[in-house]
Amino acid sequence: MSKKIKCYWMAEGRIVISPNGQVMPCCFFEKEIENKSILDYNKYKNELNINNYSLEEILKHQWFQQLYESWDNKPDPICIKMCSKEEGFSNIVRKFYEGRYKQNNRQTI
């Protein structure tokens, strides 16, 4: 079974480290975590802070593992909104730019 989510940040080896040291999987989460606790992020806030733990320890933390595993069956709504293979914003934007790139290349040939 393939995952319902394709995380473009993960595919490119990117993460977000906020000015206060919080490590998050992407910029989409940064704003959302301020407003609500995604997968109990706030419960682990201290453990997911680069000032307290190494990046390797943080990325192996159960919160990140739970996030990755959720992509198989019940992704977080922010992952669906931004990175769903079918309807995600990132997928729509990627397709748009791929189409524009192809159009621009055709025009210049």
Side-chain angles (χ1 to χ4, degrees):
M1 178 178 165
S2 69
K3 294 198 179 287
K4 296 177 181 180
I5 301 298
K6 179 172 183 193
C7 177
Y8 294 98
W9 279 64
M10 181 190 274
E12 293 180 8
R14 295 180 176 196
I15 57 165
V16 169
I17 301 176
S18 72
N20 66 358
Q22 290 308 133
V23 177
M24 289 164 260
C26 67
C27 67
F28 306 125
F29 268 79
E30 185 174 20
K31 182 167 176 34
E32 292 296 320
I33 286 172
E34 291 174 10
N35 299 326
K36 63 179 180 170
S37 181
I38 297 173
L39 297 174
D40 293 327
Y41 183 91
N42 292 325
K43 178 179 174 182
Y44 304 108
K45 204 170 188 174
N46 183 54
E47 299 167 35
L48 299 171
N49 190 296
I50 198 74
N51 296 313
N52 303 324
Y53 293 89
S54 73
L55 185 56
E56 184 177 355
E57 290 172 308
I58 293 170
L59 295 177
K60 289 180 179 177
H61 188 276
Q62 68 183 32
W63 186 86
F64 275 93
Q65 299 310 310
Q66 182 182 354
L67 175 68
Y68 304 146
E69 290 168 10
S70 77
W71 295 344
D72 288 329
N73 50 30
K74 192 175 180 196
D76 189 271
I78 193 69
C79 293
I80 293 170
K81 180 179 178 185
M82 305 314 271
C83 294
S84 166
K85 288 183 179 179
E86 292 82 32
E87 61 193 82
F89 179 76
S90 294
N91 194 36
I92 293 167
V93 170
R94 181 184 54 77
K95 286 180 181 178
F96 172 77
Y97 282 110
E98 283 177 353
R100 289 200 52 153
Y101 176 76
K102 288 176 186 173
Q103 275 185 336
N104 288 341
N105 281 344
R106 275 190 245 135
Q107 291 173 357
T108 59
I109 292 177

